[in-house]
Amino acid sequence: MSSYLRTLTRRFSTVKPQSNPFPPPNISALPWLGPTRKGVEKPRVVVLGTGWAACRLMKDIDTKIYDVVCVSPRNHMVFTPLLASTCVGTLEFRSIAEPIANIQPAISTSPGSYFFLAKCSSVDPASHTISCETELHGTTEKGARLDSQKFKVAYDKLVVASGAQATTFGIPGVEKHAIFLREVGHAQEIRRKLLLNLMLSDIPGISVEEKKRLLHCVVIGGGPTGVEFSGELSDFIIRDVRQRYSHVKDNIHVTLIEASEILSSFDVSLRQYATNHLTKSGVHLICGIVKDVHEKKIILNDGTEVPYGLLVWSTGVGPSPFIKSLPFPKSLGGRIGVDDWLRVPSEQDIFSIGDCSGFLESTGKSVLPALAQVAERQGKYLASQLNKIGRASGGHANSTADVNLGAPFVYKHLGSMATVGRYKALVDLRQNKNEKGLSIAGFVSWFIWRSAYLTRVVSWRNRFYVAINWATTLVFGRDISRI
Amino acid sequence: MSSYLRTLTRRFSTVKPQSNPFPPPNISALPWLGPTRKGVEKPRVVVLGTGWAACRLMKDIDTKIYDVVCVSPRNHMVFTPLLASTCVGTLEFRSIAEPIANIQPAISTSPGSYFFLAKCSSVDPASHTISCETELHGTTEKGARLDSQKFKVAYDKLVVASGAQATTFGIPGVEKHAIFLREVGHAQEIRRKLLLNLMLSDIPGISVEEKKRLLHCVVIGGGPTGVEFSGELSDFIIRDVRQRYSHVKDNIHVTLIEASEILSSFDVSLRQYATNHLTKSGVHLICGIVKDVHEKKIILNDGTEVPYGLLVWSTGVGPSPFIKSLPFPKSLGGRIGVDDWLRVPSEQDIFSIGDCSGFLESTGKSVLPALAQVAERQGKYLASQLNKIGRASGGHANSTADVNLGAPFVYKHLGSMATVGRYKALVDLRQNKNEKGLSIAGFVSWFIWRSAYLTRVVSWRNRFYVAINWATTLVFGRDISRI
């Protein structure tokens, strides 16, 4: 046994001077991943983000041409259209999360490719480097204290695809008291909170008023996410709570508050269908504007006080502080301005796609909506552009390759879908708000909704789990373990 | 719309004086669930805990005779033999957690039965009441600030089955730096930490020494849990890390530290098999005693320093502060002392089962090991005793029913099983350490291990998911999303 000990101790105490893959930088005291050497190393594409745009780009990029370095605070992509379903357990969290290492295996196996769990803090176009800081948000307190570490990465091509953030319109208390619905962590928080409130409302001595408050779920924002979440909640209440929490069944309610109209991008007949269906399912629809958010109640513009136990905030997205801080010209709405080929025209080798990017006014095109299908299409387009540039030996930084860029990026809307609960959904196949086209609502739409998303889920593993989750929810009901 | 608002506002602002199911108590200012009225209400069994003993009891108790009130800080039972498999994603967390509402549906549907997410703080045998406090551990900080609430519950029969807690032997730093492996929350923490360390070890500028520290997983305690977790970890490293994190594959190591011998309750040939198998799988076995636990290293008795990135502590269990605080005679080892019929003999209507209870020395029986099969058998026995007492009209408090208690509880050990990773397990069917009997190791044992546990999982839903998880792990590998 003592030889083990000796080996172990030796292994840790003697650090042989090895060849360091990260040599100290010349331009800064921070550790870094230095510039690639032309002719010796592959050019390096640095991708910021792991959303729809970034993941589609990384999936399609030719790793025989490029090394890929991904910088993101999460190591997985979230299949956002199904996120609302995970809050009440219709689907499980892991069924909609896809590790980057599955989407692009080269990132964790190819010697020059890396995934860094970090946030980019600044971009220096002159030296072709970015500054990063490790992201330890949500990290356990057990074990070694974790200090975040700063480092730099040199890029040949930089793709900014770090997405947007939930808007609060500067309303006081939103950040502190409301839960957004953009990440798996948010869905987990909603599920834990909902189950906690269900259990707390049963404690002896609780007043009827407090019980009703605890069990009042308020959703702000009548876009597809808010509507789908309200539908899932009412399903959960009708199917699972009434059956299994009979003590509280008459006290639990869902209210959806929207400033104008729900699902405003959908066809008017679909909007009407959704309104009727949600109302029939027990969701209270309120037209109102939130003025203030307190610990246990929100205040509307007209002074109405609405007590709540769970508050979910889903009123669209806007640019993040990082995007605002970047020294590039912006599009309308404060996104990174790009040209017809999704390049940041003022800089060499910088591109931007997804919710953080928008066409510059000079292109004459309008800023595209913050939708998964826009982001994915842009990722696909940019990957093929970068592959083309790389094949023409223009992959390295500042290579003035004479590449014909070809056709600019054009977005064609395929339609919108949203489920409203109880095996009903809306499918709107019009190409934009003002055109005519097919729009259907009901069970057939719901079937289309499920089938369409099932085929879009990234991996076979998750496709399988989504189908299994749907089947077990149907047969056994939703899981109410609060873990 | 405004009528909605009015209805909503009215609903919350006017609280009609309703009949309160929880009248204010006479003996205290706290809200409470008062005593049951003989002839009008069913007698009430109050169960503390949701482990193996408590859940088996609640499953078997006749809810036509009794109302059941369960008090526990978690609303689900954990299938503990498979907990180690969830730390690395062989199984998912929800596949081994079973909500109490599924185990005994009456608890959340029958009018006099309740589940309270709370901890019992004291027992008053004279007034037949317990004092409780809501348990908000692990609660989100979003939304209303949650103050824990105190309340009392009167019992007719009290079953103390709140389990034991991990022992630290008073070694400094264990509570602060090590992760135990007793709850789903612990397994989640281990999985997050392991994936975090894998990713941090790839950050530019990290030294080889620090990389090796981050990727050194140390397990303290060579009982079945420690051995199974080490086996799962080495499986994860061989199968998933080497394939998908090729940057770090040579730097990740597992060390298992045990003061005497691993799996000391198993047959000597099985112990030898386990030692060989673990060593071959790359687990370093060290015989040593931990003296001190620091933030990034542990110190053994002989002065050896062992740096670690993940530290899992699994050295057995001992009585919790609550059990120590109860004013009942204790068994050897500080558990609640019970007689041959699992009653606390000094008090009326109090019973104790599972890891928190032990035979009084006066019974002449030795204290049973802290095993799931002991706890479950005790739960089953006590449920049938209580049903018998209830049918003889002895259910209410202090009913001096003339019930023939029948045969005392006798424990017959069915054998022990443990998996050691890579499709190998040990099965020891001897009735105790000193007897002879069948003991086998290898693939057949592994097959028996899996089949046996699969049939023991509580619900069909989870049985299905455990099988599906095993199948997808085999086909697709383990999920490495850090959510």
Side-chain angles (χ1 to χ4, degrees):
Chain A
M1 274 302 170
S2 65
S3 79
Y4 262 130
L5 272 181
R6 272 198 303 276
T7 322
L8 187 89
T9 322
R10 201 180 314 126
R11 179 148 46 81
F12 286 108
S13 54
T14 64
V15 182
K16 274 168 273 165
Q18 299 197 358
S19 76
N20 189 348
F22 305 113
N26 299 322
I27 54 161
S28 124
L30 290 178
W32 80 336
L33 193 57
T36 57
R37 285 161 296 166
K38 213 169 168 174
V40 183
E41 290 167 304
K42 287 190 259 184
R44 181 188 301 142
V45 176
V46 174
V47 180
L48 308 184
T50 45
W52 281 93
C55 287
R56 182 57 197 253
L57 178 115
M58 289 190 278
K59 187 176 171 218
D60 285 4
I61 203 131
D62 189 341
T63 52
K64 285 201 279 298
I65 302 174
Y66 289 103
D67 281 331
V68 181
V69 170
C70 177
V71 178
S72 173
R74 62 173 200 216
N75 81 337
H76 56 274
M77 180 195 152
V78 180
F79 193 83
T80 43
L82 296 177
L83 189 59
S85 301
T86 65
C87 300
V88 295
T90 310
L91 291 177
E92 282 311 325
F93 304 116
R94 284 181 184 275
S95 308
I96 62 154
E98 194 67 59
I100 305 308
N102 288 3
I103 292 173
Q104 179 48 271
I107 281 190
S108 51
T109 53
S110 170
S113 294
Y114 294 94
F115 171 79
F116 296 140
L117 190 78
K119 269 188 168 168
C120 175
S121 51
S122 67
V123 176
D124 180 16
S127 67
H128 270 56
T129 53
I130 59 167
S131 299
C132 306
E133 197 166 334
T134 51
E135 171 68 25
L136 304 173
H137 172 75
T139 299
T140 161
E141 285 163 32
K142 282 282 172 94
R145 197 182 59 249
L146 295 160
D147 302 314
S148 66
Q149 292 169 55
K150 291 181 180 174
F151 60 95
K152 293 196 171 203
V153 179
Y155 61 82
D156 290 302
K157 308 289 173 205
L158 176 67
V159 179
V160 184
S162 54
Q165 70 173 28
T167 49
T168 64
F169 307 108
I171 298 166
V174 178
E175 287 275 3
K176 194 168 171 202
H177 302 300
I179 308 178
F180 300 115
L181 188 42
R182 313 233 331 125
E183 302 283 347
V184 171
H186 297 146
Q188 288 173 318
E189 201 178 345
I190 291 169
R191 190 160 172 189
R192 284 182 65 83
K193 179 107 188 169
L194 186 63
L195 292 171
L196 179 71
N197 287 352
L198 272 169
M199 288 183 284
L200 288 183
S201 67
D202 235 4
I203 295 290
I206 207 160
S207 69
V208 178
E209 191 179 18
E210 175 69 357
K211 194 173 207 168
K212 279 187 190 291
R213 179 191 72 76
L214 277 172
L215 296 174
H216 190 212
C217 307
V218 176
V219 183
I220 312 289
T225 306
V227 166
E228 293 197 339
F229 176 63
S230 305
E232 287 283 352
L233 255 183
S234 75
D235 266 12
F236 175 64
I237 292 167
I238 292 166
R239 166 83 201 266
D240 300 86
V241 176
R242 296 254 160 99
Q243 228 178 67
R244 296 199 274 180
Y245 282 98
S246 55
H247 301 152
V248 299
K249 63 181 175 187
D250 299 326
N251 295 312
I252 185 162
H253 294 284
V254 182
T255 298
L256 174 60
I257 301 180
E258 163 61 45
S260 56
E261 255 186 312
I262 66 163
L263 299 174
S264 58
S265 67
F266 281 69
D267 184 76
V268 62
S269 67
L270 296 182
R271 290 208 291 270
Q272 195 52 54
Y273 180 91
T275 305
N276 292 343
H277 183 84
L278 288 173
T279 308
K280 255 196 291 181
S281 310
V283 177
H284 295 276
L285 295 173
I286 292 185
C287 185
I289 293 169
V290 177
K291 196 173 73 183
D292 208 351
V293 175
H294 294 260
E295 211 182 325
K296 299 182 178 183
K297 65 184 177 191
I298 52 174
I299 315 229
L300 301 184
N301 249 0
D302 64 0
T304 317
E305 298 194 355
V306 184
Y308 69 85
L310 173 73
L311 180 62
V312 175
W313 194 269
S314 168
T315 57
V317 295
S320 66
F322 168 65
I323 295 299
K324 284 182 197 159
S325 78
L326 289 177
F328 309 141
K330 300 283 152 60
S331 75
L332 280 177
R335 302 180 181 193
I336 297 174
V338 292
D339 67 11
D340 286 327
W341 293 269
L342 307 178
R343 300 179 298 187
V344 174
S346 57
E347 310 295 345
Q348 277 278 6
D349 301 321
I350 302 185
F351 306 81
S352 183
I353 51 178
D355 293 359
C356 66
S357 107
F359 286 122
L360 284 163
E361 277 186 271
S362 57
T363 61
K365 292 179 178 170
S366 56
V367 170
L368 296 170
L371 292 176
Q373 58 177 313
V374 174
E376 202 197 7
R377 230 81 62 73
Q378 290 183 330
K380 185 182 174 184
Y381 172 83
L382 188 56
S384 93
Q385 292 291 101
L386 289 175
N387 289 342
K388 201 193 289 178
I389 293 169
R391 274 191 289 270
S393 306
H396 282 279
N398 299 310
S399 298
T400 48
D402 198 9
V403 185
N404 175 14
L405 284 176
F409 176 75
V410 177
Y411 175 67
K412 193 158 166 269
H413 189 66
L414 289 181
S416 309
M417 295 192 288
T419 169
V420 289
R422 291 166 77 196
Y423 313 114
K424 298 287 190 296
L426 320 173
V427 173
D428 187 341
L429 297 176
R430 300 172 308 151
Q431 275 187 26
N432 71 56
K433 273 184 84 158
N434 308 314
E435 276 183 51
K436 290 217 176 298
L438 187 64
S439 59
I440 47 172
F443 179 76
V444 173
S445 296
W446 177 84
F447 194 79
I448 296 173
W449 176 85
R450 282 219 163 166
S451 315
Y453 281 145
L454 194 57
T455 59
R456 306 294 296 159
V457 172
V458 183
S459 67
W460 280 105
R461 183 191 174 282
N462 280 359
R463 211 167 289 167
F464 177 71
Y465 269 111
V466 166
I468 292 282
N469 288 164
W470 276 335
T472 55
T473 295
L474 192 70
V475 177
F476 301 108
R478 294 169 179 85
D479 181 18
I480 53 167
S481 305
R482 184 169 177 271
I483 59 172
Chain B
M1 277 300 169
S2 64
S3 78
Y4 261 131
L5 272 182
R6 274 197 303 276
T7 322
L8 187 88
T9 321
R10 202 181 313 126
R11 180 148 46 81
F12 286 107
S13 53
T14 64
V15 182
K16 274 168 272 169
Q18 298 197 0
S19 76
N20 190 345
F22 305 111
N26 300 321
I27 54 158
S28 124
L30 291 178
W32 79 335
L33 193 58
T36 58
R37 284 161 296 168
K38 211 169 171 174
V40 184
E41 290 166 306
K42 287 189 259 186
R44 180 187 304 141
V45 176
V46 174
V47 180
L48 308 184
T50 46
W52 281 93
C55 287
R56 182 58 197 252
L57 178 114
M58 289 190 278
K59 187 177 170 219
D60 285 3
I61 202 130
D62 190 340
T63 52
K64 285 200 282 297
I65 303 175
Y66 290 103
D67 281 331
V68 181
V69 170
C70 176
V71 178
S72 172
R74 64 174 198 215
N75 81 337
H76 55 274
M77 179 194 151
V78 180
F79 193 83
T80 43
L82 296 178
L83 189 58
S85 301
T86 64
C87 299
V88 294
T90 311
L91 292 176
E92 283 310 326
F93 304 117
R94 285 181 183 276
S95 307
I96 62 153
E98 194 68 60
I100 305 309
N102 288 2
I103 292 173
Q104 180 48 271
I107 281 190
S108 51
T109 52
S110 168
S113 293
Y114 294 95
F115 171 80
F116 296 140
L117 189 78
K119 269 188 168 169
C120 176
S121 51
S122 66
V123 176
D124 179 15
S127 67
H128 269 56
T129 54
I130 59 167
S131 299
C132 306
E133 195 164 338
T134 51
E135 170 68 25
L136 304 173
H137 172 75
T139 299
T140 163
E141 284 163 32
K142 283 280 172 95
R145 197 182 60 250
L146 296 160
D147 301 315
S148 66
Q149 292 169 55
K150 291 181 180 173
F151 60 94
K152 293 194 171 203
V153 178
Y155 60 83
D156 290 303
K157 308 288 172 205
L158 176 67
V159 179
V160 184
S162 54
Q165 70 173 28
T167 49
T168 64
F169 307 109
I171 298 166
V174 178
E175 287 275 2
K176 195 168 170 204
H177 302 300
I179 309 178
F180 300 115
L181 188 43
R182 313 237 327 129
E183 302 282 347
V184 171
H186 298 147
Q188 288 173 318
E189 201 177 346
I190 290 170
R191 190 161 174 189
R192 285 182 65 83
K193 178 107 188 170
L194 186 63
L195 292 171
L196 179 71
N197 287 352
L198 272 169
M199 288 183 283
L200 287 184
S201 68
D202 236 2
I203 295 291
I206 207 159
S207 69
V208 178
E209 190 179 18
E210 176 68 358
K211 195 174 209 170
K212 280 188 189 289
R213 179 191 73 77
L214 277 172
L215 296 174
H216 190 211
C217 307
V218 176
V219 183
I220 313 289
T225 305
V227 166
E228 293 197 339
F229 176 63
S230 305
E232 287 285 351
L233 255 182
S234 75
D235 266 11
F236 175 64
I237 292 167
I238 292 166
R239 166 82 200 267
D240 300 86
V241 176
R242 296 254 159 99
Q243 227 178 66
R244 295 199 275 180
Y245 282 98
S246 55
H247 301 152
V248 299
K249 63 181 176 187
D250 299 326
N251 296 312
I252 184 162
H253 294 283
V254 183
T255 298
L256 175 59
I257 301 180
E258 162 62 44
S260 56
E261 254 186 311
I262 65 164
L263 300 173
S264 58
S265 68
F266 281 69
D267 185 76
V268 62
S269 67
L270 297 182
R271 289 207 294 269
Q272 195 51 52
Y273 180 91
T275 305
N276 292 343
H277 184 82
L278 287 173
T279 307
K280 255 196 291 183
S281 311
V283 177
H284 295 276
L285 295 174
I286 292 185
C287 185
I289 293 170
V290 177
K291 197 173 73 181
D292 208 350
V293 176
H294 294 260
E295 211 182 326
K296 300 181 178 184
K297 65 183 178 191
I298 52 174
I299 312 220
L300 302 185
N301 250 0
D302 62 1
T304 316
E305 297 194 354
V306 185
Y308 69 86
L310 174 72
L311 180 63
V312 174
W313 195 269
S314 168
T315 56
V317 295
S320 66
F322 168 65
I323 296 299
K324 283 182 198 160
S325 77
L326 290 176
F328 308 141
K330 299 283 153 56
S331 75
L332 280 177
R335 302 179 180 195
I336 297 174
V338 293
D339 67 10
D340 286 326
W341 293 268
L342 307 179
R343 298 178 299 185
V344 174
S346 57
E347 311 294 343
Q348 277 279 5
D349 301 321
I350 302 184
F351 306 80
S352 183
I353 51 179
D355 293 358
C356 66
S357 105
F359 285 122
L360 284 164
E361 277 186 272
S362 57
T363 61
K365 292 179 181 171
S366 56
V367 170
L368 296 170
L371 293 175
Q373 59 177 312
V374 174
E376 201 197 7
R377 230 80 62 73
Q378 290 184 330
K380 185 182 174 184
Y381 171 85
L382 187 56
S384 95
Q385 291 292 99
L386 289 175
N387 289 342
K388 200 193 289 179
I389 293 169
R391 274 192 289 270
S393 306
H396 282 278
N398 299 310
S399 298
T400 47
D402 198 10
V403 185
N404 174 13
L405 284 176
F409 175 75
V410 177
Y411 174 67
K412 192 156 166 269
H413 189 66
L414 290 180
S416 309
M417 296 191 289
T419 168
V420 289
R422 290 167 77 197
Y423 313 114
K424 299 287 189 294
L426 320 173
V427 173
D428 186 342
L429 298 176
R430 300 172 309 151
Q431 275 188 28
N432 71 56
K433 274 184 83 155
N434 307 316
E435 275 182 53
K436 290 215 176 298
L438 188 64
S439 59
I440 47 173
F443 179 77
V444 173
S445 296
W446 177 84
F447 194 79
I448 296 172
W449 176 84
R450 281 219 164 166
S451 314
Y453 281 147
L454 194 57
T455 60
R456 306 294 296 159
V457 172
V458 183
S459 68
W460 280 103
R461 183 191 174 283
N462 280 358
R463 212 168 289 169
F464 177 71
Y465 268 112
V466 166
I468 292 282
N469 289 163
W470 277 335
T472 56
T473 295
L474 192 68
V475 177
F476 301 107
R478 293 168 178 86
D479 181 18
I480 53 165
S481 304
R482 184 168 177 270
I483 60 172

